[in-house]
Amino acid sequence: MKVVLVNGSRRDAGCTYTALSVVAKELEAQGIDTEIVAVGSRVVKGELDAVVKEVGAKITDADGLIVGSPVYYASPTGEILMFLDRLFGAYGNELRYKCGSSIASARRGGTTSTVDVLNKYFQINQMPVVSSNYWNIVHGNTPDEVVKDEEGMQTMRLLGQNFAWLVKSIDAAKKAGIELPQGENKIKTNYIR
C-alpha cells in the first residue's frame, strides 16, 4: 500500500513539508509506503503539465492522496489550486474511492477555509475524506515553530493513524470480495494528459 503526499508550498522543505512529514512517518510506522512530492515550487516555475503527469502516474497505483498547502490570503496557494484543477480533471476517475485528506499550515488564520477548499476536490471525486481529532492544521512561521505546535503535531500523527486504518480497511474489503460502488462519474472534462 502507498500514499502520495503533495506539498503545495513554494518552499520544498518549509512548514507544509514539516506537517506532511509527520503524517508520512506515522503512515510508514503503520506499514504504508509514502512519497512526498513538491508541487508548489515546480508549478511556480512553469512545470505544471510535467508535475501533473508525474503525480498522476503515482496516484494511479496509490491507495490515497494527502494534499498540503500553506495559507495565502485565507486560502490555498494559487499553485496548488492550478495543480489540483488539472490533476483531478485528468486523473479524477483514477482517484475514486481512494482515501483523501488535506493539511493547511499558517502562521495564524485562514487554515480552516484552506482545508475546506482542498477537501472539495476529494468530495466531488467520490473519495472518502480522512479526518483527525481536530482540523488538519498546523501553526508556525518556520518549520521549528510548527514542530513546537503540540496540538498540530498530535493532529498530524492521528491523521496518519486514521488514514492508515481506512486504507487498510478498504484493502481488506476488496480482498474479502466487497465490490466498490460502480456509480458512473458524469463529470466530463477536456483536460489532456
Side-chain angles (χ1 to χ4, degrees):
M1 287 179 274
K2 183 173 183 177
V3 173
V4 175
L5 299 93
V6 171
N7 180 3
S9 175
R10 295 174 189 164
R11 294 177 183 90
D12 291 351
C15 298
T16 303
Y17 174 82
T18 301
L20 290 168
S21 295
V22 171
V23 177
K25 183 177 178 183
E26 191 60 45
L27 285 164
E28 290 168 4
Q30 301 287 326
I32 296 175
D33 294 330
T34 65
E35 182 176 358
I36 300 175
V37 182
V39 168
S41 63
R42 293 180 62 192
V43 170
V44 82
K45 293 176 189 172
E47 299 175 21
L48 177 61
D49 290 339
V51 76
V52 166
K53 286 182 180 180
E54 177 186 321
V55 173
K58 293 175 188 299
I59 61 172
T60 299
D61 296 326
D63 300 286
L65 175 67
I66 299 175
V67 177
S69 177
V71 174
Y72 287 9
Y73 299 99
S75 69
T77 67
E79 292 83 13
I80 196 66
L81 294 176
M82 286 174 43
F83 169 78
L84 292 174
D85 283 351
R86 294 290 298 276
L87 180 73
F88 278 91
Y91 295 91
N93 284 334
E94 284 89 342
L95 286 164
R96 289 173 60 211
Y97 307 115
K98 294 182 181 187
C99 298
S101 194
S102 63
I103 293 171
S105 67
R107 185 181 65 83
R108 290 207 187 276
T111 50
T112 56
S113 57
T114 296
V115 166
D116 181 53
V117 169
L118 295 174
N119 282 344
K120 287 179 171 73
Y121 286 91
F122 308 126
Q123 293 166 337
I124 200 167
N125 284 281
Q126 297 173 274
M127 296 174 68
V129 178
V130 181
S131 62
S132 187
N133 62 335
Y134 194 64
W135 290 286
N136 299 338
I137 61 176
V138 295
H139 290 99
N141 206 33
T142 66
D144 289 338
E145 289 178 11
V146 168
V147 172
K148 292 176 185 171
D149 175 11
E150 292 180 28
E151 184 176 35
M153 293 294 95
Q154 176 190 9
T155 301
M156 295 302 110
R157 287 188 299 272
L158 188 56
L159 174 60
Q161 293 168 19
N162 290 350
F163 208 97
W165 180 84
L166 190 53
V167 165
K168 290 177 181 180
S169 296
I170 291 171
D171 185 59
K174 289 177 186 176
K175 288 177 180 173
I178 300 172
E179 294 185 24
L180 293 173
Q182 297 301 311
E184 183 181 344
N185 186 352
K186 300 279 185 187
I187 299 172
K188 303 294 182 199
T189 63
N190 60 357
Y191 293 115
I192 299 172
R193 292 188 189 180

